[in-house]
Amino acid sequence: MSSKKAIAAAIILAQAGVDYSPKTGATCPCCRAEKLSVVTTRPWDGAMRVRFHQCTTPSCLLAKLKQGIKSVELDTTPERAPEAGASCARA
Protein backbone atom coordinates (compact mmCIF):
# COMPACT_ATOMS: atom_id res chain seq x y z
CA MET A 1 0.00 0.00 0.00
CA SER A 2 1.37 3.40 -0.90
CA SER A 3 1.88 6.00 1.81
CA LYS A 4 -0.88 8.21 0.34
CA LYS A 5 -3.32 5.29 0.46
CA ALA A 6 -2.29 4.45 4.03
CA ILE A 7 -2.85 8.06 5.11
CA ALA A 8 -6.23 8.19 3.36
CA ALA A 9 -7.31 4.89 4.95
CA ALA A 10 -6.26 6.05 8.44
CA ILE A 11 -8.16 9.33 8.07
CA ILE A 12 -11.28 7.52 6.85
CA LEU A 13 -11.16 5.21 9.90
CA ALA A 14 -10.75 8.18 12.25
CA GLN A 15 -13.67 10.06 10.71
CA ALA A 16 -15.94 7.00 10.58
CA GLY A 17 -15.76 6.70 14.34
CA VAL A 18 -14.93 4.10 16.94
CA ASP A 19 -16.93 2.78 19.88
CA TYR A 20 -16.59 4.58 23.21
CA SER A 21 -16.72 2.65 26.46
CA PRO A 22 -16.91 4.36 29.86
CA LYS A 23 -14.46 1.71 31.08
CA THR A 24 -11.81 1.72 28.32
CA GLY A 25 -12.56 5.01 26.56
CA ALA A 26 -11.90 5.13 22.82
CA THR A 27 -9.36 3.02 20.95
CA CYS A 28 -7.22 4.45 18.15
CA PRO A 29 -8.20 2.76 14.86
CA CYS A 30 -4.62 3.06 13.63
CA CYS A 31 -2.36 1.91 16.51
CA ARG A 32 -5.00 0.37 18.85
CA ALA A 33 -3.98 2.57 21.82
CA GLU A 34 -6.74 2.75 24.45
CA LYS A 35 -8.05 5.63 26.58
CA LEU A 36 -7.36 8.35 24.03
CA SER A 37 -7.29 11.96 25.21
CA VAL A 38 -10.68 13.64 24.88
CA VAL A 39 -10.59 16.92 22.95
CA THR A 40 -14.33 17.64 22.68
CA THR A 41 -17.49 16.08 24.08
CA ARG A 42 -20.79 16.86 22.43
CA PRO A 43 -24.09 16.83 24.35
CA TRP A 44 -26.28 13.76 24.38
CA ASP A 45 -28.47 13.38 21.29
CA GLY A 46 -31.09 10.90 22.38
CA ALA A 47 -29.18 7.78 23.43
CA MET A 48 -25.98 8.76 21.59
CA ARG A 49 -23.04 10.98 22.48
CA VAL A 50 -20.15 11.92 20.17
CA ARG A 51 -16.65 12.72 21.35
CA PHE A 52 -13.49 13.67 19.51
CA HIS A 53 -10.11 12.38 20.66
CA GLN A 54 -6.44 12.76 19.88
CA CYS A 55 -3.97 9.87 19.85
CA THR A 56 -0.69 10.70 21.57
CA THR A 57 1.32 7.60 20.63
CA PRO A 58 4.51 8.98 19.03
CA SER A 59 4.68 6.29 16.34
CA CYS A 60 0.97 6.52 15.37
CA LEU A 61 0.18 7.93 11.92
CA LEU A 62 -2.96 9.70 13.21
CA ALA A 63 -0.96 11.31 16.03
CA LYS A 64 1.67 12.53 13.56
CA LEU A 65 -1.08 13.99 11.35
CA LYS A 66 -2.83 15.51 14.40
CA GLN A 67 -6.01 13.90 13.05
CA GLY A 68 -9.00 13.91 15.40
CA ILE A 69 -10.70 10.58 16.07
CA LYS A 70 -14.47 10.43 16.45
CA SER A 71 -16.05 8.12 19.01
CA VAL A 72 -19.68 7.26 19.63
CA GLU A 73 -21.10 6.27 23.02
CA LEU A 74 -24.50 4.62 23.23
CA ASP A 75 -26.56 4.81 26.42
CA THR A 76 -27.46 1.23 27.25
CA THR A 77 -29.29 2.08 30.48
CA PRO A 78 -32.64 0.29 30.33
CA GLU A 79 -35.67 2.58 30.29
CA ARG A 80 -37.60 2.29 33.53
CA ALA A 81 -41.34 2.71 33.41
CA PRO A 82 -42.88 4.40 36.45
CA GLU A 83 -44.48 2.00 38.87
CA ALA A 84 -48.27 1.82 38.71
CA GLY A 85 -49.83 4.37 41.02
CA ALA A 86 -46.50 6.06 41.76
CA SER A 87 -46.33 9.82 41.75
CA CYS A 88 -43.46 12.23 41.93
CA ALA A 89 -45.59 14.92 43.56
CA ARG A 90 -45.41 15.30 47.32
CA ALA A 91 -48.61 15.35 49.28
Side-chain angles (χ1 to χ4, degrees):
M1 180 182 294
S2 74
S3 60
K4 287 183 181 181
K5 287 184 180 180
I7 291 170
I11 290 173
I12 288 170
L13 287 173
Q15 291 175 344
V18 296
D19 291 336
Y20 180 88
S21 162
K23 184 176 181 180
T24 60
T27 302
C28 178
C30 193
C31 71
R32 310 309 298 165
E34 291 185 343
K35 296 190 178 183
L36 299 177
S37 300
V38 176
V39 176
T40 305
T41 302
R42 301 282 167 86
W44 284 98
D45 184 9
M48 182 177 76
R49 180 177 236 176
V50 174
R51 288 180 176 84
F52 290 93
H53 306 266
Q54 189 74 46
C55 184
T56 57
T57 306
S59 61
C60 179
L61 179 61
L62 292 174
K64 290 177 183 178
L65 295 171
K66 298 188 186 319
Q67 173 66 46
I69 300 164
K70 176 183 173 182
S71 75
V72 177
E73 178 181 11
L74 297 177
D75 182 10
T76 58
T77 307
E79 290 287 325
R80 288 184 31 186
E83 295 179 21
S87 174
C88 293
R90 294 183 178 238

Coordinates of all heavy atoms in Angstrom, one line a residue:
M1 N 0.9 -1.2 0.0 CA 0.0 0.0 0.0 C 0.9 1.2 0.0 O 1.8 1.3 0.8 CB -0.9 0.0 1.2 CG -1.8 1.2 1.3 SD -2.9 1.2 2.8 CE -3.9 -0.2 2.6
S2 N 0.6 2.2 -0.9 CA 1.4 3.4 -0.9 C 1.1 4.3 0.3 O 0.1 4.1 1.0 CB 1.0 4.2 -2.2 OG -0.2 4.8 -2.0
S3 N 2.0 5.2 0.6 CA 1.9 6.0 1.8 C 0.7 6.9 1.7 O 0.0 7.1 2.7 CB 3.1 6.8 2.1 OG 3.4 7.7 1.0
K4 N 0.3 7.4 0.5 CA -0.9 8.2 0.3 C -2.1 7.4 0.6 O -3.1 7.9 1.3 CB -0.9 8.8 -1.1 CG 0.0 9.9 -1.3 CD -0.1 10.5 -2.7 CE 0.9 11.6 -3.0 NZ 0.8 12.1 -4.3
K5 N -2.2 6.1 0.2 CA -3.3 5.3 0.5 C -3.4 5.0 1.9 O -4.5 4.9 2.5 CB -3.3 4.0 -0.4 CG -3.5 4.3 -1.8 CD -3.6 3.0 -2.6 CE -3.8 3.2 -4.1 NZ -3.9 2.0 -4.8
A6 N -2.3 4.7 2.6 CA -2.3 4.4 4.0 C -2.8 5.7 4.8 O -3.6 5.5 5.8 CB -0.9 4.1 4.5
I7 N -2.4 6.8 4.4 CA -2.8 8.1 5.1 C -4.4 8.2 4.9 O -5.1 8.5 5.8 CB -2.1 9.3 4.6 CG1 -0.6 9.2 5.1 CG2 -2.7 10.6 5.1 CD1 0.3 10.3 4.4
A8 N -4.8 8.0 3.7 CA -6.2 8.2 3.4 C -7.1 7.2 4.1 O -8.1 7.5 4.7 CB -6.5 8.0 1.9
A9 N -6.6 5.9 4.2 CA -7.3 4.9 4.9 C -7.4 5.2 6.4 O -8.4 5.0 7.1 CB -6.6 3.5 4.7
A10 N -6.3 5.7 7.0 CA -6.3 6.1 8.4 C -7.2 7.2 8.7 O -7.9 7.2 9.7 CB -4.8 6.4 8.9
I11 N -7.3 8.2 7.9 CA -8.2 9.3 8.1 C -9.6 8.9 8.0 O -10.5 9.3 8.8 CB -7.8 10.5 7.1 CG1 -6.5 11.1 7.5 CG2 -8.9 11.5 7.1 CD1 -6.0 12.1 6.5
I12 N -9.9 8.0 7.0 CA -11.3 7.5 6.8 C -11.7 6.8 8.1 O -12.8 6.9 8.6 CB -11.4 6.6 5.6 CG1 -11.3 7.5 4.3 CG2 -12.7 5.8 5.6 CD1 -11.2 6.7 3.0
L13 N -10.8 5.9 8.7 CA -11.2 5.2 9.9 C -11.4 6.2 11.1 O -12.3 6.0 11.8 CB -10.0 4.2 10.3 CG -9.9 3.0 9.4 CD1 -8.6 2.2 9.8 CD2 -11.1 2.1 9.5
A14 N -10.6 7.2 11.2 CA -10.7 8.2 12.3 C -12.1 8.9 12.1 O -12.7 9.2 13.1 CB -9.6 9.1 12.3
Q15 N -12.4 9.3 10.9 CA -13.7 10.1 10.7 C -14.9 9.2 10.8 O -16.0 9.7 11.2 CB -13.6 10.8 9.4 CG -12.6 11.9 9.3 CD -12.5 12.5 7.9 OE1 -12.9 11.9 6.9 NE2 -11.8 13.6 7.8
A16 N -14.8 7.9 10.5 CA -15.9 7.0 10.6 C -16.4 6.8 12.0 O -17.6 6.6 12.3 CB -15.6 5.7 9.9
G17 N -15.4 6.8 12.9 CA -15.8 6.7 14.3 C -15.5 5.3 14.9 O -15.5 4.3 14.2
V18 N -15.2 5.3 16.2 CA -14.9 4.1 16.9 C -15.9 4.1 18.1 O -16.5 5.1 18.4 CB -13.5 4.0 17.5 CG1 -12.5 4.0 16.3 CG2 -13.2 5.2 18.4
D19 N -16.1 2.9 18.7 CA -16.9 2.8 19.9 C -16.3 3.4 21.1 O -15.0 3.4 21.2 CB -17.2 1.3 20.2 CG -18.1 0.6 19.2 OD1 -18.8 1.4 18.5 OD2 -18.0 -0.6 19.0
Y20 N -17.1 4.0 22.0 CA -16.6 4.6 23.2 C -17.2 3.8 24.3 O -18.4 3.5 24.4 CB -17.0 6.0 23.4 CG -16.5 6.6 24.6 CD1 -15.3 7.2 24.7 CD2 -17.3 6.6 25.8 CE1 -14.8 7.8 25.9 CE2 -16.8 7.1 27.0 CZ -15.6 7.7 27.0 OH -15.1 8.2 28.2
S21 N -16.3 3.4 25.3 CA -16.7 2.7 26.5 C -16.3 3.5 27.7 O -15.2 4.0 27.8 CB -16.0 1.3 26.5 OG -16.0 0.8 27.8
P22 N -17.3 3.6 28.6 CA -16.9 4.4 29.9 C -15.7 3.7 30.6 O -15.0 4.4 31.3 CB -18.2 4.3 30.7 CG -19.3 4.1 29.7 CD -18.7 3.3 28.6
K23 N -15.5 2.4 30.4 CA -14.5 1.7 31.1 C -13.1 1.9 30.4 O -12.1 2.2 31.0 CB -14.8 0.2 31.2 CG -13.8 -0.6 32.0 CD -14.3 -2.0 32.1 CE -13.3 -2.8 32.9 NZ -13.7 -4.2 33.0
T24 N -13.1 1.7 29.1 CA -11.8 1.7 28.3 C -11.7 2.9 27.4 O -10.6 3.1 26.8 CB -11.7 0.5 27.4 OG1 -12.7 0.4 26.5 CG2 -11.6 -0.8 28.3
G25 N -12.6 3.8 27.4 CA -12.6 5.0 26.6 C -12.6 4.6 25.1 O -13.3 3.7 24.7
A26 N -11.9 5.4 24.3 CA -11.9 5.1 22.8 C -10.6 4.5 22.5 O -9.5 4.8 23.1 CB -12.1 6.4 22.1
T27 N -10.6 3.7 21.4 CA -9.4 3.0 21.0 C -9.0 3.6 19.6 O -9.8 3.7 18.7 CB -9.6 1.5 20.8 OG1 -10.0 1.0 22.1 CG2 -8.4 0.8 20.4
C28 N -7.7 3.9 19.4 CA -7.2 4.4 18.2 C -7.4 3.4 17.1 O -6.9 2.3 17.2 CB -5.7 4.9 18.3 SG -5.1 5.5 16.7
P29 N -8.0 3.7 15.9 CA -8.2 2.8 14.9 C -6.9 2.5 14.1 O -6.8 1.5 13.4 CB -9.2 3.4 13.9 CG -9.0 4.9 14.2 CD -8.6 5.0 15.6
C30 N -5.9 3.2 14.3 CA -4.6 3.1 13.6 C -3.6 2.2 14.4 O -3.1 1.2 14.0 CB -4.0 4.4 13.3 SG -2.7 4.4 12.1
C31 N -3.4 2.6 15.7 CA -2.4 1.9 16.5 C -3.0 1.1 17.6 O -2.2 0.4 18.4 CB -1.4 2.9 17.1 SG -2.0 4.0 18.4
R32 N -4.3 1.1 17.8 CA -5.0 0.4 18.9 C -4.7 0.8 20.3 O -5.0 0.1 21.2 CB -4.8 -1.1 18.7 CG -4.9 -1.8 17.4 CD -6.2 -1.4 16.6 NE -7.4 -1.9 17.3 CZ -8.6 -1.6 17.1 NH1 -8.8 -0.7 16.2 NH2 -9.6 -2.0 17.8
A33 N -4.2 2.0 20.5 CA -4.0 2.6 21.8 C -5.3 2.8 22.4 O -6.3 3.3 21.8 CB -3.2 3.9 21.8
E34 N -5.5 2.6 23.8 CA -6.7 2.8 24.4 C -6.7 4.0 25.3 O -5.6 4.6 25.5 CB -7.1 1.6 25.3 CG -7.4 0.3 24.6 CD -7.8 -0.8 25.5 OE1 -7.5 -0.8 26.7 OE2 -8.4 -1.8 24.9
K35 N -7.9 4.4 25.7 CA -8.1 5.6 26.6 C -7.4 6.9 25.9 O -6.6 7.6 26.5 CB -7.5 5.4 28.0 CG -8.3 4.3 28.7 CD -7.9 4.2 30.1 CE -8.7 3.1 30.8 NZ -8.4 3.0 32.2
L36 N -7.9 7.2 24.7 CA -7.4 8.4 24.0 C -7.8 9.6 24.8 O -8.8 9.7 25.4 CB -7.9 8.4 22.6 CG -7.6 7.2 21.7 CD1 -8.2 7.4 20.4 CD2 -6.1 7.1 21.5
S37 N -7.0 10.7 24.6 CA -7.3 12.0 25.2 C -8.5 12.5 24.6 O -8.7 12.6 23.3 CB -6.1 12.9 25.0 OG -5.0 12.4 25.6
V38 N -9.5 13.0 25.4 CA -10.7 13.6 24.9 C -10.4 15.1 24.6 O -9.8 15.8 25.4 CB -11.8 13.5 25.9 CG1 -13.1 14.3 25.4 CG2 -12.1 12.1 26.2
V39 N -10.8 15.5 23.4 CA -10.6 16.9 23.0 C -11.9 17.7 23.1 O -12.0 18.8 23.6 CB -10.1 17.0 21.5 CG1 -10.0 18.4 21.0 CG2 -8.8 16.3 21.4
T40 N -13.0 17.0 22.6 CA -14.3 17.6 22.7 C -15.4 16.6 23.0 O -15.3 15.5 22.5 CB -14.7 18.3 21.3 OG1 -13.7 19.2 20.9 CG2 -16.0 19.0 21.3
T41 N -16.3 16.9 23.8 CA -17.5 16.1 24.1 C -18.7 16.8 23.7 O -19.0 17.9 24.2 CB -17.5 15.7 25.6 OG1 -16.3 15.0 25.9 CG2 -18.7 14.7 25.8
R42 N -19.5 16.3 22.8 CA -20.8 16.9 22.4 C -21.9 16.4 23.4 O -21.8 15.4 24.1 CB -21.2 16.4 21.0 CG -20.1 16.8 20.0 CD -20.2 18.2 19.6 NE -19.1 18.7 18.8 CZ -19.0 18.7 17.5 NH1 -19.9 18.1 16.8 NH2 -17.9 19.2 17.0
P43 N -23.0 17.2 23.5 CA -24.1 16.8 24.3 C -24.8 15.6 23.8 O -24.7 15.2 22.7 CB -25.0 18.0 24.3 CG -24.6 18.9 23.2 CD -23.2 18.5 22.8
W44 N -25.5 14.9 24.8 CA -26.3 13.8 24.4 C -27.3 14.1 23.3 O -27.9 15.2 23.4 CB -27.0 13.2 25.6 CG -26.1 12.4 26.5 CD1 -25.6 12.9 27.7 CD2 -25.6 11.1 26.4 NE1 -24.8 11.9 28.2 CE2 -24.8 10.8 27.5 CE3 -25.8 10.1 25.4 CZ2 -24.2 9.6 27.6 CZ3 -25.2 8.9 25.6 CH2 -24.4 8.6 26.7
D45 N -27.5 13.2 22.3 CA -28.5 13.4 21.3 C -29.3 12.1 21.3 O -28.9 11.1 20.7 CB -27.8 13.6 19.9 CG -28.8 13.8 18.8 OD1 -30.0 14.0 19.1 OD2 -28.4 13.8 17.6
G46 N -30.3 12.1 22.1 CA -31.1 10.9 22.4 C -30.2 10.0 23.2 O -29.8 10.3 24.3
A47 N -30.0 8.8 22.7 CA -29.2 7.8 23.4 C -27.7 7.7 22.9 O -27.0 6.8 23.2 CB -29.8 6.4 23.3
M48 N -27.3 8.8 22.2 CA -26.0 8.8 21.6 C -25.2 10.0 22.0 O -25.8 11.1 22.1 CB -26.1 8.7 20.1 CG -24.8 8.6 19.3 SD -25.0 8.4 17.6 CE -25.5 10.1 17.1
R49 N -23.9 9.9 22.2 CA -23.0 11.0 22.5 C -21.8 10.8 21.6 O -21.2 9.8 21.6 CB -22.7 11.0 24.0 CG -21.8 12.1 24.3 CD -21.5 12.2 25.8 NE -21.9 13.5 26.3 CZ -21.9 13.8 27.6 NH1 -21.5 13.0 28.5 NH2 -22.2 15.0 27.9
V50 N -21.3 11.9 21.0 CA -20.2 11.9 20.2 C -19.0 12.7 20.9 O -19.3 13.7 21.5 CB -20.4 12.6 18.8 CG1 -19.2 12.7 18.0 CG2 -21.5 11.8 18.1
R51 N -17.9 12.1 20.8 CA -16.6 12.7 21.4 C -15.6 12.7 20.3 O -15.6 11.9 19.3 CB -16.1 11.9 22.5 CG -16.9 12.0 23.8 CD -16.2 11.2 24.9 NE -16.9 11.3 26.2 CZ -18.0 10.6 26.5 NH1 -18.4 9.7 25.7 NH2 -18.5 10.8 27.7
F52 N -14.6 13.7 20.4 CA -13.5 13.7 19.5 C -12.2 13.6 20.4 O -12.1 14.2 21.4 CB -13.5 14.9 18.7 CG -14.6 15.0 17.6 CD1 -15.8 15.5 17.9 CD2 -14.4 14.3 16.4 CE1 -16.8 15.5 17.0 CE2 -15.4 14.3 15.5 CZ -16.6 14.9 15.8
H53 N -11.3 12.7 19.9 CA -10.1 12.4 20.7 C -8.9 12.7 19.8 O -8.9 12.9 18.6 CB -10.1 10.9 21.0 CG -11.3 10.4 21.7 ND1 -11.4 10.4 23.1 CD2 -12.5 10.0 21.2 CE1 -12.6 9.9 23.4 NE2 -13.3 9.7 22.3
Q54 N -7.7 12.6 20.5 CA -6.4 12.8 19.9 C -5.5 11.6 20.4 O -5.4 11.4 21.6 CB -5.8 14.1 20.2 CG -4.6 14.4 19.4 CD -4.9 14.8 18.0 OE1 -5.8 15.6 17.8 NE2 -4.2 14.3 17.1
C55 N -4.9 10.9 19.5 CA -4.0 9.9 19.9 C -2.6 10.6 20.1 O -2.2 11.5 19.4 CB -3.8 8.8 18.7 SG -2.7 7.5 19.2
T56 N -2.0 10.1 21.2 CA -0.7 10.7 21.6 C 0.5 9.7 21.4 O 1.6 10.0 21.9 CB -0.8 11.2 23.0 OG1 -1.1 10.2 23.9 CG2 -1.8 12.4 23.1
T57 N 0.2 8.6 20.8 CA 1.3 7.6 20.6 C 2.3 8.2 19.6 O 1.9 8.4 18.5 CB 0.7 6.3 20.2 OG1 -0.3 5.8 21.1 CG2 1.8 5.2 20.0
P58 N 3.6 8.3 19.9 CA 4.5 9.0 19.0 C 4.6 8.3 17.7 O 4.8 9.0 16.7 CB 5.8 8.9 19.8 CG 5.5 8.8 21.2 CD 4.2 8.0 21.2
S59 N 4.5 7.0 17.6 CA 4.7 6.3 16.3 C 3.4 6.2 15.5 O 3.4 5.6 14.4 CB 5.2 4.9 16.6 OG 4.3 4.1 17.4
C60 N 2.3 6.7 16.0 CA 1.0 6.5 15.4 C 0.8 7.5 14.2 O 1.1 8.7 14.4 CB -0.2 6.7 16.4 SG -1.8 6.6 15.6
L61 N 0.4 7.1 13.1 CA 0.2 7.9 11.9 C -0.8 9.0 12.2 O -0.6 10.2 11.8 CB -0.3 7.1 10.7 CG -0.5 7.8 9.4 CD1 0.7 8.5 8.9 CD2 -1.0 6.8 8.4
L62 N -1.9 8.7 12.9 CA -3.0 9.7 13.2 C -2.4 10.8 14.2 O -2.8 11.9 14.1 CB -4.2 9.0 13.8 CG -5.0 8.2 12.8 CD1 -6.1 7.5 13.5 CD2 -5.5 9.0 11.6
A63 N -1.6 10.3 15.1 CA -1.0 11.3 16.0 C 0.0 12.3 15.3 O 0.0 13.5 15.5 CB -0.2 10.6 17.1
K64 N 0.8 11.7 14.3 CA 1.7 12.5 13.6 C 0.9 13.5 12.7 O 1.4 14.6 12.5 CB 2.6 11.7 12.7 CG 3.6 10.9 13.5 CD 4.4 10.0 12.6 CE 5.4 9.1 13.4 NZ 6.2 8.2 12.5
L65 N -0.3 13.1 12.2 CA -1.1 14.0 11.3 C -1.9 14.9 12.2 O -2.6 15.8 11.6 CB -2.0 13.2 10.5 CG -1.3 12.3 9.4 CD1 -2.4 11.4 8.8 CD2 -0.6 13.1 8.4
K66 N -2.0 14.7 13.5 CA -2.8 15.5 14.4 C -4.3 15.4 14.0 O -5.1 16.3 14.0 CB -2.4 17.0 14.5 CG -1.0 17.2 15.1 CD -0.7 18.6 15.3 CE 0.7 18.9 15.8 NZ 1.4 18.0 16.7
Q67 N -4.7 14.2 13.5 CA -6.0 13.9 13.1 C -6.9 13.5 14.2 O -6.6 12.7 15.0 CB -6.0 12.7 12.1 CG -7.3 12.2 11.6 CD -8.1 13.2 10.8 OE1 -7.6 13.9 9.9 NE2 -9.4 13.4 11.1
G68 N -8.0 14.2 14.4 CA -9.0 13.9 15.4 C -9.7 12.6 15.1 O -9.8 12.2 14.0
I69 N -10.1 11.9 16.2 CA -10.7 10.6 16.1 C -12.1 10.7 16.7 O -12.2 11.1 17.9 CB -9.9 9.5 16.8 CG1 -8.5 9.4 16.1 CG2 -10.6 8.1 16.7 CD1 -7.4 8.7 16.9
K70 N -13.1 10.4 16.0 CA -14.5 10.4 16.4 C -14.8 9.1 17.2 O -14.4 8.1 16.8 CB -15.4 10.6 15.2 CG -16.9 10.6 15.6 CD -17.7 10.7 14.3 CE -19.1 10.5 14.5 NZ -19.9 10.5 13.3
S71 N -15.5 9.3 18.3 CA -16.0 8.1 19.0 C -17.5 8.3 19.3 O -18.0 9.5 19.4 CB -15.3 7.9 20.3 OG -15.7 8.8 21.3
V72 N -18.2 7.2 19.4 CA -19.7 7.3 19.6 C -20.0 6.4 20.9 O -19.6 5.2 20.9 CB -20.5 6.7 18.4 CG1 -22.0 6.7 18.7 CG2 -20.2 7.6 17.2
E73 N -20.7 7.0 21.8 CA -21.1 6.3 23.0 C -22.6 6.1 22.9 O -23.3 7.1 22.7 CB -20.7 7.0 24.3 CG -21.2 6.4 25.6 CD -20.9 7.1 26.8 OE1 -20.4 8.3 26.7 OE2 -21.0 6.6 27.9
L74 N -23.1 4.9 23.2 CA -24.5 4.6 23.2 C -24.9 4.4 24.7 O -24.3 3.6 25.4 CB -24.8 3.4 22.4 CG -24.6 3.6 20.9 CD1 -24.9 2.3 20.1 CD2 -25.4 4.7 20.3
D75 N -26.0 5.0 25.1 CA -26.6 4.8 26.4 C -27.3 3.5 26.4 O -28.3 3.4 25.7 CB -27.5 6.0 26.8 CG -28.0 5.9 28.2 OD1 -27.6 5.0 29.0 OD2 -28.9 6.6 28.5
T76 N -26.8 2.6 27.2 CA -27.5 1.2 27.2 C -28.3 1.0 28.5 O -28.7 0.0 28.8 CB -26.4 0.1 27.2 OG1 -25.5 0.3 28.2 CG2 -25.7 0.2 25.8
T77 N -28.5 2.1 29.3 CA -29.3 2.1 30.5 C -30.7 1.7 30.1 O -31.3 2.4 29.3 CB -29.3 3.4 31.2 OG1 -27.9 3.8 31.4 CG2 -30.0 3.3 32.5
P78 N -31.3 0.7 30.7 CA -32.6 0.3 30.3 C -33.6 1.4 30.8 O -33.5 2.0 31.8 CB -32.9 -1.0 31.1 CG -31.8 -1.1 32.1 CD -30.7 -0.2 31.7
E79 N -34.6 1.6 29.9 CA -35.7 2.6 30.3 C -36.5 2.0 31.4 O -36.9 0.8 31.3 CB -36.6 2.8 29.1 CG -35.9 3.6 28.0 CD -35.7 5.1 28.4 OE1 -36.6 5.7 29.0 OE2 -34.7 5.7 28.0
R80 N -36.8 2.8 32.4 CA -37.6 2.3 33.5 C -39.0 3.0 33.5 O -39.0 4.2 33.5 CB -37.0 2.6 34.9 CG -35.8 1.7 35.1 CD -35.2 1.9 36.5 NE -36.1 2.3 37.5 CZ -35.8 2.7 38.7 NH1 -34.6 2.7 39.1 NH2 -36.7 3.0 39.6
A81 N -40.0 2.2 33.4 CA -41.3 2.7 33.4 C -41.7 3.0 34.9 O -41.3 2.3 35.8 CB -42.3 1.7 32.8
P82 N -42.5 4.1 35.1 CA -42.9 4.4 36.4 C -43.8 3.3 37.0 O -44.5 2.7 36.2 CB -43.6 5.7 36.3 CG -43.8 6.0 34.9 CD -42.9 5.0 34.1
E83 N -43.7 3.0 38.3 CA -44.5 2.0 38.9 C -45.9 2.5 38.8 O -46.2 3.6 39.0 CB -44.0 1.7 40.3 CG -42.6 1.2 40.4 CD -42.2 1.0 41.8 OE1 -43.1 0.9 42.7 OE2 -41.0 0.9 42.1
A84 N -46.8 1.5 38.7 CA -48.3 1.8 38.7 C -48.7 2.5 40.0 O -48.3 2.1 41.1 CB -49.1 0.5 38.5
G85 N -49.3 3.6 39.9 CA -49.8 4.4 41.0 C -48.8 5.3 41.7 O -49.1 6.0 42.6
A86 N -47.5 5.2 41.2 CA -46.5 6.1 41.8 C -46.6 7.5 41.3 O -47.0 7.7 40.1 CB -45.1 5.5 41.4
S87 N -46.3 8.4 42.1 CA -46.3 9.8 41.7 C -45.1 10.5 42.3 O -44.6 10.2 43.3 CB -47.6 10.5 42.3 OG -47.6 11.8 42.1
C88 N -44.6 11.5 41.5 CA -43.5 12.2 41.9 C -43.9 13.4 42.8 O -43.0 14.0 43.5 CB -42.7 12.7 40.7 SG -41.9 11.4 39.8
A89 N -45.1 13.8 42.8 CA -45.6 14.9 43.6 C -45.7 14.5 45.0 O -46.1 13.4 45.4 CB -47.0 15.4 43.0
R90 N -45.3 15.5 45.9 CA -45.4 15.3 47.3 C -46.8 15.7 47.8 O -47.3 16.7 47.3 CB -44.3 16.1 48.0 CG -43.0 15.6 47.8 CD -42.0 16.4 48.6 NE -40.6 15.9 48.3 CZ -39.8 15.4 49.2 NH1 -40.2 15.4 50.5 NH2 -38.7 14.9 48.9
A91 N -47.3 15.0 48.8 CA -48.6 15.3 49.3 C -48.5 16.5 50.3 O -47.6 16.8 50.9 CB -49.2 14.1 50.0

